[in-house]
Amino acid sequence: MSSDPAETVSSVDRVMRGRFANRFYLDAPVALETVREIVEVARHAGTGANVQPWHVHLLAGEARASLVAALGAAHETEADAHRAEYTYLPNDLPEPYAARRREFGAVFYGGLGIAPDDHAARARNTARNYRFFDAPVGLIFTIDRRLEKGSFLDLGMFIQNIMLAAGARGLATCAQEFFSRYHAVIRSALSLAPEQMVVCGMSMGFGDPDWAARRPHMPKAAVDEIASFHGF
Ligand SMILES: Cc1cc2nc3c(=O)[nH]c(=O)nc-3n(C[C@H](O)[C@H](O)[C@H](O)COP(=O)(O)O)c2cc1C
């Protein structure tokens, strides 16, 4: 860390503001040492009672390709036979979250030039998830199912640390709950222990700079919408 506090603030803020869900990558490998270093620093995330309930599988090369092939077969031929082991969002999403999700859909598909009623194009785009959006590194995060909701908080801290550590090293990422649906495929491919639940995946690689320059920015709720200040 820089000895100049202003410089540290500016670097950390730049990494946080610069992170976005990147879905377009360059065809350029990421060195094992870099990926290892990212995990090395991310493991310093805080965690209730220091239980560190996370596990991450990092895949590249053949290992990634063979998981992608298995996921592709499942998604393209029998998607309805697969279901996540936990619920990410309720079916009946209350406000203001439902409005934010609608806005996400408009910005997301609008940015890709996909019309709201073009279901085939949407499906083709969704399918890019199982290829880790063509990123060279794929991550799968698991948690021990015997733990409680609190440990999901901890896992989130770890996942965010991975994204920030990657961002600081010039790498782009996209967290992907998509993979939770195909836990059976992943369990078999990675020989997961029965107590390990697939929570989420992530794409990681060098982002396509052209996309970064023209991507739509996801709107974020203003500070006063999400924070209440008391006693200042
Ligand atoms: C835990 C988590 C799971 C996500 N799952 C997916 C996913 O399965 N597929 C996808 O394309 N994006 C996924 N995203 C990306 C979100 O859509 C994205 O973070 C959100 O729209 C905000 O945009 P931003 O990250 O660019 O700020 C996920 C993000 C998080 C934090």
Side-chain angles (χ1 to χ4, degrees):
M1 200 177 291
S2 163
S3 55
D4 176 355
E7 218 174 274
T8 302
V9 168
S10 140
S11 307
V12 172
D13 287 5
R14 196 169 53 246
V15 172
M16 283 198 220
R17 288 183 197 279
R19 185 217 58 82
F20 66 95
N22 185 75
R23 301 176 181 90
F24 295 95
Y25 293 87
L26 298 180
D27 182 14
V30 181
L32 169 63
E33 303 83 76
T34 307
V35 176
R36 207 181 161 80
E37 199 177 278
I38 288 168
V39 180
E40 201 291 317
V41 66
R43 75 195 164 98
H44 294 280
T47 151
N50 201 31
V51 299
Q52 304 165 72
W54 41 68
H55 195 94
V56 59
H57 294 258
L58 301 112
L59 300 115
E62 277 301 305
R64 176 196 168 285
S66 92
L67 178 62
V68 167
L71 289 165
H75 184 77
E76 303 295 355
T77 66
E78 50 168 36
D80 289 345
H82 296 265
R83 202 191 172 99
E85 291 195 272
Y86 74 99
T87 307
Y88 194 92
L89 288 173
N91 285 334
D92 199 6
L93 198 58
E95 295 297 348
Y97 318 110
R100 289 179 189 157
R101 181 167 61 181
R102 279 194 298 278
E103 189 178 37
F104 155 77
V107 173
F108 179 63
Y109 289 111
L112 294 170
I114 297 176
D117 58 350
D118 191 344
H119 301 293
R122 281 185 176 221
R124 277 196 302 278
N125 187 68
T126 298
R128 296 187 65 244
N129 269 281
Y130 72 69
R131 292 169 15 213
F132 293 101
F133 297 112
D134 301 320
V137 182
L139 289 76
I140 299 291
F141 295 91
T142 65
I143 199 165
D144 189 317
R145 70 179 74 253
R146 295 169 297 180
L147 299 172
E148 292 287 355
K149 274 184 187 166
S151 293
F152 273 72
L153 284 179
D154 296 335
L155 180 61
M157 308 279 171
F158 179 64
I159 292 172
Q160 179 73 353
N161 262 7
I162 294 261
M163 294 199 284
L164 296 180
R169 288 161 178 78
L171 291 167
T173 53
C174 183
Q176 294 170 264
E177 56 92 15
F178 172 90
F179 291 101
S180 62
R181 177 175 194 166
Y182 296 107
H183 57 91
V185 176
I186 295 168
R187 179 170 309 287
S188 158
L190 303 181
S191 303
L192 297 185
E195 73 276 7
Q196 289 299 316
M197 185 197 292
V198 174
V199 177
C200 143
M202 186 187 290
S203 305
M204 183 187 288
F206 293 99
D208 177 346
D210 293 340
W211 173 251
R214 65 189 168 84
R215 73 180 177 95
H217 290 240
M218 276 299 156
K220 305 291 178 186
V223 170
D224 291 319
E225 245 182 278
I226 59 160
S228 308
F229 300 91
H230 306 267
F232 287 89

